[in-house]
Amino acid sequence: MTSSRSATVSAASAAQAALTTAAAVHRLAQLYESLSPEMLPQLAQCYASGARFKDPFNDLQGVPAIVRVFEHMFATLERPRFVVTQRIVQGDQAFLVWEFYFRLRHKRWCNEQFIRGATHLQLDAHGLVALHRDYWDAAEELYEKLPALGGLMRWLRRQMATT
């Protein structure tokens, strides 16, 4: 095979991989936006069996463990839902920018809360998520909104801020 032919094949393979990644990220974003307890088994169609999941509270591996994170979410929160506001795909990696809306189950009087965050995804050769890493500020987005911790967290933020 000539070098120009091999470069063309290589470019075509890269383009196909980018399409596969974009389609996988689109499918995952749609799943998260419509996630319900009944849909949790569908996570196994989007994640590699040994996928790693990390967020401010969890660092675990494997689809069953990832499913348990979301089972816990549905058990402890009222009406949790994700809204994906941006998707950025490059090669085998992607970022999802999202808003997460919920109500605290034990505080029925509480207004709907939301957290802004982003997820870094790395996909394997089959278009399955191998790494899912959530980035969000637990202090600002969660702790400051809690009655017992909120005042302390806001005070700490003021103390640490530059004047």
Side-chain angles (χ1 to χ4, degrees):
M1 187 182 300
T2 66
S3 63
S4 65
R5 170 84 174 123
S6 105
T8 302
V9 169
S10 198
S13 296
Q16 181 60 40
L19 286 174
T20 302
T21 300
V25 169
H26 178 75
R27 182 181 71 213
L28 184 65
Q30 284 186 313
L31 176 60
Y32 274 109
E33 289 190 320
S34 60
L35 199 60
S36 67
E38 299 77 30
M39 296 180 73
L40 292 177
Q42 291 184 28
L43 290 172
Q45 297 170 11
C46 296
Y47 285 82
S49 62
R52 180 176 180 210
F53 178 98
K54 183 166 176 36
D55 69 9
F57 302 115
N58 302 284
D59 187 356
L60 43 89
Q61 198 160 358
V63 173
I66 294 168
V67 169
R68 282 193 300 276
V69 168
F70 293 101
E71 288 172 340
H72 181 261
M73 176 189 78
F74 283 111
T76 58
L77 301 175
E78 283 186 19
R79 296 188 296 249
R81 65 185 171 89
F82 291 93
V83 176
V84 176
T85 59
Q86 293 180 40
R87 296 177 206 154
I88 302 167
V89 178
Q90 182 177 357
D92 65 348
Q93 299 190 53
F95 263 92
L96 299 178
V97 179
W98 44 261
E99 295 173 347
F100 175 60
Y101 295 87
F102 64 96
R103 289 182 190 269
L104 299 174
R105 188 171 295 282
H106 64 283
K107 302 285 187 185
R108 297 219 181 266
W109 51 268
C110 186
N111 293 330
E112 183 174 61
Q113 303 293 314
F114 74 95
I115 294 171
R116 289 184 186 103
T119 300
H120 172 226
L121 301 168
Q122 186 165 9
L123 284 76
D124 67 12
H126 304 289
L128 298 174
V129 176
L131 170 68
H132 175 135
R133 173 82 190 259
D134 285 343
Y135 294 94
W136 56 276
D137 185 346
E140 177 184 0
E141 299 287 350
L142 183 61
Y143 300 148
E144 283 187 11
K145 298 174 183 177
L146 297 174
L149 288 176
L152 174 63
M153 295 306 295
R154 289 186 295 276
W155 178 82
L156 283 171
R157 183 178 299 279
R158 286 190 303 270
Q159 297 304 309
M160 301 303 288
T162 57
T163 54

